[in-house]
Amino acid sequence: MNTADLGLPVDVPSTALFTDQYELTMLQAALKAGTAERRSVFEVFTRRLPDGRRYGVVAGTGRVLDAVENFRFDPDVLGFLRERNIVDERTLAWLADYRFGGDVWGYPEGEVYFPGSPLLRVEGTFAECVLLETVILSILNHDSAIAAAASRMASAAGDRPLIEMGARRTHELAAVAAARAAYVGGFATTSDLAAGFRYGIPTVGTSAHAFTLLHDHERDAFRAQVDTLGRGTTLLVDTYDVAEAVRTAVEVAGPELGAVRIDSGDLLLVAHRVRQQLDELGAANTKIVVTSDLDEYAIASLAAAPVDAYGVGTQLVTGSGHPTCSMVYKLVARAESGDPKAPLVPVAKKSSGGKTSIGGRKWAARRLDADGVAEAEVVGTGPVPPELADRQLLVQLIKGGDVLGREPLDVPRSRHIAARANLPLSATQLSRGEPVLPTEYLTERSGS
């Protein structure tokens, strides 16, 4: 990856083994059968949204582009595959030269999606496309789940900023991806320095209860923090007695104290009491930050409280109860032969239990009502109706193996705000309900 384009300080290592073994065994069998070079179309979609969710959020697209670009089988990886006898020598020779040379189209990062939306379309030979299934799904399923939770929390928070602080509640590498996805979904900052280093997300942080407990007196801890970080710092006031801590904090920092943080107790009640106390002490501009196992429902319940910012950890990085989006990667069309000019034939799995899919290369568009509000997600094969031509959602992300869709993280963040605002008002309701937009299918009987 050429990170110089975005000024990113970290290169991404090989992603070749972020895969399931059956992808390599399918490759070996297809090479032997002579079908590996058949032109193919794979699509990523989900058959349903998590229970009660009104919309999904596309996140992780930028990480997918990095992963595809860095899907390389170096000598150490090939040696591992040879030692374990996972594939034969012919397949190893093919993998040694692997570079994805196909095309990828997809919903731009930050866009919203619905059941059946073709979130990503991967086109190339069967061999080069099938290898990417697991790494693509692992990224999109994780990041989109976090972004969806972040979006709901951002809707509940309104204009109040959200701080991502869940690194200690998940895998150390997942924490970086989660902070990125949360930023796309509407969070303003993160406590995770690795996320700030890799993606340029603004970072924040002051002190924990341990710092107060270290000192003989709470006043000593506050004094040390203010002397080091300035009067604009945030002091944690619930280690012992909140009222006494607020009084001490203002005495130490003066009315210029930046903020106080509350991390326990009845946050609604405590926030009102602290606000009144701060005002009476002349610290009317001192803000109140609340943390403590918040989720979108807790944030919504604090809407009328004098709270200025929220810090969210566990519920965010676990998708607020839905840590995956159940996205799948399915072959939807393939050529009749290895001839590059052979026509594509729609293919689809037929099964019971809700796992059926629709064959054919698909496009997607969002239809608007007379007021310019989205009213339906339209997914189809074949020609795009003229009235939907300027409402198409898929953009080209990779062309002939070259990445086209890399963009600064603020772009998908802004895109999501606009996409969510274009949905019906019921999209932001936290009560359980069906997807806010229906998915309509326009299929072409003659094929793709």
Side-chain angles (χ1 to χ4, degrees):
M1 169 189 174
N2 181 10
T3 56
D5 293 341
L6 295 182
L8 300 179
V10 179
D11 288 335
V12 178
S14 170
T15 53
L17 291 184
F18 293 163
T19 188
D20 288 307
Q21 182 167 320
Y22 80 167
E23 287 158 8
L24 297 186
T25 55
M26 283 191 287
L27 168 64
Q28 177 176 309
L31 288 170
K32 185 174 183 179
T35 53
E37 297 304 312
R38 285 190 177 187
R39 191 160 54 102
S40 300
V41 180
F42 286 81
E43 289 177 351
V44 175
F45 63 94
T46 184
R47 297 183 176 94
R48 64 191 65 84
L49 296 180
D51 185 36
R53 294 287 168 90
R54 305 299 181 92
Y55 61 91
V57 181
V58 179
T61 308
R63 296 207 309 121
V64 166
L65 298 180
D66 292 343
V68 172
E69 194 172 51
N70 289 278
F71 206 90
R72 304 282 188 270
F73 291 83
D74 59 33
D76 288 342
V77 171
L78 293 171
F80 165 78
L81 297 176
R82 178 178 291 109
E83 178 186 341
R84 297 292 182 92
N85 197 31
I86 291 174
V87 291
D88 60 20
E89 287 298 325
R90 179 188 179 188
T91 306
L92 289 172
W94 190 94
L95 292 173
D97 295 326
Y98 179 83
R99 301 289 186 275
F100 179 75
D103 299 335
V104 176
W105 293 72
Y107 280 39
E109 189 162 19
E111 184 57 83
V112 296
Y113 71 87
F114 299 91
S117 297
L119 305 179
L120 204 70
R121 192 174 73 217
V122 182
E123 304 185 25
T125 67
F126 175 83
E128 64 183 339
C129 295
V130 74
L131 296 180
L132 301 175
E133 175 183 6
T134 300
V135 69
I136 286 176
L137 288 179
S138 66
I139 292 171
L140 293 181
N141 268 312
H142 173 269
D143 290 23
S144 297
I146 305 304
S151 178
R152 285 163 60 87
M153 293 174 188
S155 292
D159 294 331
R160 298 170 179 176
L162 291 158
I163 306 163
E164 185 282 314
M165 46 196 305
R168 64 191 61 192
R169 295 293 187 259
T170 187
H171 185 279
E172 67 272 17
L173 298 182
V176 182
R180 184 188 183 281
Y183 190 70
V184 170
F187 274 57
T189 55
T190 178
S191 66
D192 189 76
L193 290 177
F197 179 62
R198 180 180 288 275
Y199 297 116
I201 302 170
T203 59
V204 295
T206 51
S207 67
H209 293 102
F211 187 73
T212 300
L213 295 170
L214 169 68
H215 293 79
D216 295 336
H217 302 285
E218 192 169 45
R219 180 182 298 273
D220 297 336
F222 288 174
R223 171 57 64 193
Q225 184 174 327
V226 170
D227 288 347
T228 304
L229 301 178
R231 296 177 185 273
T233 190
T234 299
L235 296 177
L236 181 58
V237 295
D238 72 329
T239 305
Y240 304 118
D241 179 83
V242 172
E244 181 61 29
V246 170
R247 185 178 304 108
T248 301
V250 176
E251 289 176 358
V252 169
E256 297 85 7
L257 175 62
V260 295
R261 179 163 74 95
I262 307 167
D263 188 51
S264 60
D266 183 336
L267 296 179
L268 179 62
L269 176 62
V270 175
H272 277 287
R273 289 177 174 173
V274 169
R275 181 73 273 160
Q276 180 179 354
Q277 186 180 10
L278 287 170
D279 292 346
E280 291 173 350
L281 293 170
N285 294 322
T286 299
K287 299 183 181 302
I288 297 175
V289 180
V290 295
T291 53
S292 185
D293 293 327
L294 298 178
D295 61 10
E296 59 266 49
Y297 302 101
I299 292 169
S301 73
L302 293 168
V307 171
D308 298 286
Y310 306 92
V312 189
T314 303
Q315 292 301 318
L316 174 66
V317 299
T318 56
S320 195
H322 297 290
T324 183
C325 302
S326 300
M327 294 176 186
V328 294
Y329 183 93
K330 296 298 181 183
L331 181 67
V332 297
R334 52 88 175 166
E336 295 177 332
S337 70
D339 184 345
K341 297 182 180 179
L344 289 174
V345 178
V347 294
K349 175 182 178 180
K350 293 182 179 180
S351 67
S352 59
K355 283 195 171 185
T356 58
S357 56
I358 298 173
R361 180 202 279 121
K362 298 174 193 67
W363 50 263
R366 192 159 296 147
R367 192 173 67 236
L368 307 181
D369 64 16
D371 297 319
V373 178
E375 66 175 6
E377 192 89 339
V378 185
V379 176
T381 59
V384 180
E387 66 273 17
L388 295 176
D390 63 347
R391 299 298 307 166
Q392 293 189 71
L393 292 164
L394 277 76
V395 299
Q396 189 154 24
L397 301 170
I398 297 177
K399 182 176 182 180
D402 294 328
V403 173
L404 305 179
R406 193 170 282 123
E407 55 191 6
L409 199 55
D410 282 334
V411 175
R413 174 182 166 83
S414 298
R415 181 183 292 124
H416 177 62
I417 293 172
R420 190 176 63 203
N422 193 234
L423 296 176
L425 287 176
S426 58
T428 59
Q429 292 178 349
L430 297 181
S431 58
R432 293 183 177 275
E434 296 300 312
V436 72
L437 296 186
T439 303
E440 300 176 0
Y441 293 97
L442 299 178
T443 58
E444 185 183 44
R445 289 186 177 275
S446 59
S448 248

